[in-house]
Amino acid sequence: MSAIKVQLPDGSTRSLEEGSNARDLAGAIGSRLAKDALAAQVNGELTDLTRPLENGDVVAIVTPASDLGRDVLRHSTAHVLAQAVVRLWPGAYYAIGPSIRDGFYYDFELPHGARFSDDDLGRIEDEMRSIVAEDQPFLRSEYSIDEGLQLFKDQPFKVEIISGVGSGANPEDATEVGGSVVSTYSNTPEFQDLCRGPHVPSTGRVKAVRVMSISGAYWLGNEKNPQLQRIYGTAFFSKKDLDEYLERLEDAKKRDHRRLGKELELFTVSEDVGAGLPLWLPKGATIRRLLEEYILDLERRAGYEHVYTPSLAKVELYIRSGHWEHYHEDMFPPMDLETERMVLRPMNCPHHILIYESKPRSYRDLPVRLAELGTMYRYERSGVLSGLSRVRCMTLNDAHIFCTPEQIKEEFSNVMKLVERSYRDLGITKYSYRLSLRDPANKEKYVDNDEMWTLGERVLREALDSLGLSYREARGEAAFYGPKLDIQLADVMGHEETYSTIQVDFHLPSQFGLEYAGADGKQHRPVMIHRAIISTMERMVSYLIELCAGAFPLWLAPVQVGLVPISERHLEYAKKVEAELKATEFRVEVDARNEKMNAKIRDLANQKTPYILVFGDKEEAAGSVSVRTRGKGDQGSVPLADFIAKAKALVAGKSTEL
């Protein structure tokens, strides 16, 4: 039998007998890898271990240690979930069941209008464990379209997918090879599912599973389609990993900014206003104001000039900038006025460009740094809206730097210093850098100018390397007009989101014909750097709420000091203490209710007040206060002046400690 040669990820090669598959390759490499193997990547495509290999293939074995391995496990577990439901509810219709971040889901319609209840989750999980214990192999088969339609004739959602009507379905469950062949996976004769795969070799590889919750979901996400029931779950390769995940999940629930925002009276939402349009309550507005004042002051000292620009403009402005072509689906519809069409802005950059070109510029003027707390509007779909973190109206800590090509690296470095300073002051310690690049094959999403993209990516890499920053590259994550550095923050679950960003832009200055007079007397085109240091006020406040679980550092706390007079006769002293604290610009709340002292202390503590000062006859006579510190309890009595001096120093130093 002839041999084939395949290449491994490290560049080495292996010779195998013709007809060998990825499982054979794993066995040839070592018994440990053969035991761990779940699936394979062949020439970048994720496949089963049983797919025959061809000469010259580049092959990577997928194991439990990888993100791909976890995705394959969870996709497989979604099928186990569907099999369990069909066992328990014969005749159930099963729709799609992909893996998602941290887990999986599957959508169902039960016969005779039946509905799942929370009490059913345990039954389903027990049945899934039975299927796992049976160690059923996942077996792949392929059929023609007609054969597939006949095979799933009693499953209308599968028929819709195969027929092509459901082309918007999750690609994990779509038809195979050019729509001419459909693939299925069967565990036993009782259950067969339409799926591209791949799957783990058998159900026994699912070591730890938890069925989490039930929700409603329209078929294919279209509200005109039937509403199905979606069951969410998660799976891991060990019970230890599952237990750790569930602990993090409980911690995340305690930190959820939506729950804390309500409990701490920071913001609210109203159907009368609309989805994605939160209302800032006084305490939340205080935090936002402090954050705004902080970043504005930091920017002023860094040489930025602050401007104000309107929240809407003519549609033609965004056509000129390119946002209309590349971004209009995420914009609100235009408003047709008598003589013009106006639209709420999704970005601030076109407005800042117009400020730059409002007068002639010389190389001596550059860099021009224009900053604004700019309010923007984006048509986020209702399904993704969440508290303050995903909204439709947001205020961005935005700025645009217009500079010469020679100034790019220095300006980039200065922006990074601002990011690091603000993160330190806000107590943010866990973040990473992502170099977001275009996908060259996507001509619709990105400006089609290879020379510009090559230059932009080179400049960014050189700037990052000169700063010695460690970063990872991400294709397909760039802005439509240029590459960018995204600073990624992780939440308690380890999910990363972009909060700060720096973008080098050669495109928009060209679109608007921006110029400056050079030292040679000729006109030159400036480079534009887009940057956001602390994201939008909405998103950053939501992040900070969850980062500190509502227990803000002293300088950001909406109420810094709570005052508890022991009895009514101590109210006069309370007014004196309050006046002295307010004179030194502390935010103070006096609890003058006719309640017991311990109840007052408890209520202030539940509001996560940093300091609670208690006083009675003894303290009033001595001009002191009994200090209770958040997280530390009773610290004893100290002179009021000493307390003020210590607290002032903590605020001035932006300390995260008390």
Side-chain angles (χ1 to χ4, degrees):
M1 183 177 288
S2 59
I4 61 171
K5 185 174 289 187
V6 298
Q7 182 178 321
L8 302 181
D10 63 2
S12 63
T13 59
R14 284 274 177 168
S15 293
L16 300 168
E17 290 185 357
E18 188 175 13
S20 295
N21 57 33
R23 180 179 283 135
D24 298 324
L25 173 62
I29 294 173
S31 58
R32 177 63 182 270
L33 184 60
K35 181 181 178 182
D36 287 345
L38 299 171
Q41 270 192 303
V42 180
N43 304 322
E45 180 185 354
L46 199 58
T47 73
D48 291 308
L49 292 171
T50 55
R51 169 174 163 172
L53 300 176
E54 297 181 359
N55 190 53
D57 282 344
V58 179
V59 187
I61 303 299
V62 176
T63 67
S66 66
D67 289 339
L68 279 177
R70 285 185 285 274
D71 286 343
V72 172
L73 171 75
R74 288 164 180 165
H75 187 198
S76 303
T77 312
H79 283 241
V80 173
L81 167 63
Q83 184 179 359
V85 168
V86 170
R87 275 188 178 183
L88 294 170
W89 286 270
Y93 296 149
Y94 46 105
I96 57 174
S99 64
I100 55 175
R101 187 167 68 178
D102 290 341
F104 58 87
Y105 69 77
Y106 216 115
D107 293 343
F108 301 94
E109 184 176 85
L110 296 183
H112 312 301
R115 306 288 291 175
F116 295 118
S117 70
D118 289 339
D119 293 338
D120 293 322
L121 297 182
R123 292 176 58 208
I124 295 170
E125 191 174 300
D126 288 342
E127 193 62 40
M128 291 176 70
R129 290 198 181 97
S130 296
I131 294 170
V132 168
E134 293 166 17
D135 197 21
Q136 303 170 7
F138 281 97
L139 302 177
R140 178 187 170 94
S141 302
E142 291 186 353
Y143 299 91
S144 69
I145 296 295
D146 288 341
E147 289 171 333
L149 290 171
Q150 179 62 28
L151 182 66
F152 289 101
K153 66 181 186 299
D154 296 325
Q155 288 293 328
F157 301 113
K158 302 299 181 182
V159 168
E160 189 171 339
I161 293 174
I162 297 171
S163 300
V165 177
S167 58
N170 189 288
E172 293 281 2
D173 293 79
T175 53
E176 270 292 313
V177 192
S180 63
V181 175
V182 296
S183 60
T184 70
Y185 283 82
S186 59
N187 298 8
T188 64
E190 73 173 340
F191 184 75
Q192 192 167 15
D193 200 358
L194 176 70
C195 184
R196 294 180 64 179
H199 286 292
V200 296
S202 70
T203 61
R205 300 300 290 269
V206 180
K207 300 299 182 183
V209 62
R210 176 63 54 88
V211 180
M212 308 289 292
S213 62
I214 306 168
S215 71
Y218 290 108
W219 169 232
L220 301 182
N222 188 334
E223 62 185 14
K224 296 180 181 179
N225 288 338
Q227 188 175 52
L228 311 180
Q229 280 193 285
R230 176 169 294 176
I231 298 180
Y232 286 96
T234 192
F236 290 86
F237 289 103
S238 72
K239 186 177 183 302
K240 176 177 177 291
D241 289 341
L242 174 61
D243 289 342
E244 289 177 353
Y245 168 78
L246 294 175
E247 287 179 12
R248 292 198 308 274
L249 194 61
E250 283 303 309
D251 187 25
K253 289 178 181 177
K254 294 175 184 176
R255 295 173 178 269
D256 190 325
H257 82 277
R258 294 165 298 183
R259 181 179 68 82
L260 288 171
K262 182 177 181 180
E263 291 178 0
L264 301 180
E265 301 177 4
L266 304 179
F267 69 93
T268 188
V269 293
S270 171
E271 291 184 1
D272 291 336
V273 175
L277 301 169
L279 302 172
W280 294 83
L281 301 178
K283 289 181 180 179
T286 296
I287 297 169
R288 172 173 170 162
R289 174 178 55 78
L290 292 166
L291 199 58
E292 289 176 346
E293 291 173 349
Y294 164 77
I295 196 63
L296 291 175
D297 181 61
L298 207 60
E299 288 172 340
R300 278 192 293 268
R301 286 186 273 129
Y304 287 84
E305 298 176 289
H306 290 100
V307 299
Y308 293 101
T309 58
S311 295
L312 75 169
K314 292 181 179 179
V315 170
E316 286 76 14
L317 177 64
Y318 301 106
I319 293 175
R320 185 181 178 192
S321 69
H323 288 94
W324 190 257
E325 177 185 357
H326 296 278
Y327 209 79
H328 75 273
E329 291 183 356
D330 296 302
M331 297 170 66
F332 280 92
M335 295 170 275
D336 291 316
L337 306 181
E338 291 182 5
T339 59
E340 56 196 3
R341 298 173 75 215
M342 308 292 287
V343 67
L344 292 168
R345 67 178 174 189
M347 306 287 184
N348 306 307
C349 37
H351 292 71
H352 290 187
I353 288 171
L354 296 180
I355 289 177
Y356 174 88
E357 70 172 12
S358 66
K359 69 176 185 177
R361 306 281 181 173
S362 162
Y363 73 95
R364 294 185 182 89
D365 301 322
L366 272 54
V368 173
R369 307 182 186 98
L370 301 177
E372 179 180 12
L373 291 172
T375 300
M376 312 178 304
Y377 302 83
R378 298 181 184 175
Y379 181 51
E380 298 277 9
R381 273 47 181 180
S382 59
V384 301
L385 297 173
S386 178
L388 294 176
S389 60
R390 292 295 292 270
V391 294
R392 287 174 170 165
C393 172
M394 64 215 75
T395 300
L396 181 65
N397 164 225
D398 205 2
H400 297 91
I401 302 168
F402 302 86
C403 63
T404 69
E406 295 77 21
Q407 293 170 330
I408 292 175
K409 288 184 182 178
E410 182 179 0
E411 290 304 306
F412 184 92
S413 177
N414 289 338
V415 172
M416 287 305 306
K417 289 176 183 176
L418 278 179
V419 171
E420 292 171 353
R421 167 66 186 275
S422 61
Y423 281 15
R424 182 175 68 250
D425 289 344
L426 293 170
I428 299 170
T429 58
K430 295 181 180 179
Y431 52 92
S432 62
Y433 300 106
R434 183 183 77 184
L435 180 56
S436 297
L437 309 172
R438 69 162 174 167
D439 177 0
N442 193 334
K443 301 298 185 182
E444 293 185 4
K445 182 177 179 181
Y446 301 106
V447 171
D448 190 8
N449 185 330
D450 291 341
E451 183 180 352
M452 180 198 75
W453 282 99
T454 300
L455 177 60
E457 291 179 8
R458 177 176 61 79
V459 167
L460 265 182
R461 284 194 182 93
E462 289 177 355
L464 287 165
D465 293 340
S466 68
L467 293 173
L469 295 178
S470 176
Y471 60 92
R472 66 184 188 278
E473 297 187 0
R475 287 281 170 195
E477 295 294 336
F480 76 84
Y481 47 75
K484 58 193 176 100
L485 176 69
D486 292 324
I487 294 90
Q488 305 291 104
L489 304 189
D491 63 17
V492 68
M493 298 302 296
H495 304 149
E496 288 191 345
E497 296 283 354
T498 301
Y499 281 78
S500 305
T501 186
I502 311 171
Q503 306 166 7
V504 176
D505 181 4
F506 296 91
H507 174 68
L508 286 178
S510 179
Q511 284 289 98
F512 283 83
L514 300 185
E515 293 182 335
Y516 66 91
D520 58 2
K522 298 179 180 179
Q523 292 297 312
H524 298 267
R525 184 138 292 150
V527 179
M528 191 173 172
I529 298 175
H530 308 242
R531 49 107 287 196
I533 301 299
I534 56 172
S535 186
T536 67
M537 296 302 106
E538 291 77 11
R539 174 168 274 197
M540 181 52 71
V541 171
S542 75
Y543 182 83
L544 293 175
I545 291 172
E546 296 187 357
L547 176 67
C548 61
F552 287 94
L554 184 63
W555 72 276
L556 264 182
V559 176
Q560 296 168 303
V561 185
L563 304 184
V564 177
I566 292 177
S567 68
E568 188 173 350
R569 68 175 180 274
H570 303 115
L571 287 177
E572 283 301 314
Y573 185 59
K575 291 179 182 178
K576 179 182 177 182
V577 173
E578 179 186 21
E580 290 195 37
L581 287 167
K582 286 186 173 180
T584 47
E585 299 186 346
F586 282 101
R587 296 178 293 280
V588 187
E589 183 177 296
V590 181
D591 191 337
R593 295 176 301 163
N594 186 23
E595 293 281 354
K596 292 183 178 179
M597 178 187 71
N598 287 338
K600 296 179 180 181
I601 292 172
R602 182 193 64 237
D603 291 345
L604 284 166
N606 286 340
Q607 287 292 301
K608 304 188 185 292
T609 310
Y611 288 113
I612 301 173
L613 306 185
V614 183
F615 37 81
D617 294 338
K618 178 182 174 183
E619 287 78 17
E620 183 173 359
S624 64
V625 288
S626 180
V627 181
R628 298 183 70 87
T629 303
R630 184 181 62 204
K632 298 178 182 178
D634 188 0
Q635 303 296 296
S637 293
V638 299
L640 178 59
D642 290 355
F643 168 78
I644 291 174
K646 176 186 175 183
K648 282 180 64 177
L650 293 175
V651 170
K654 300 292 188 293
S655 175
T656 57
E657 301 294 327
L658 294 176

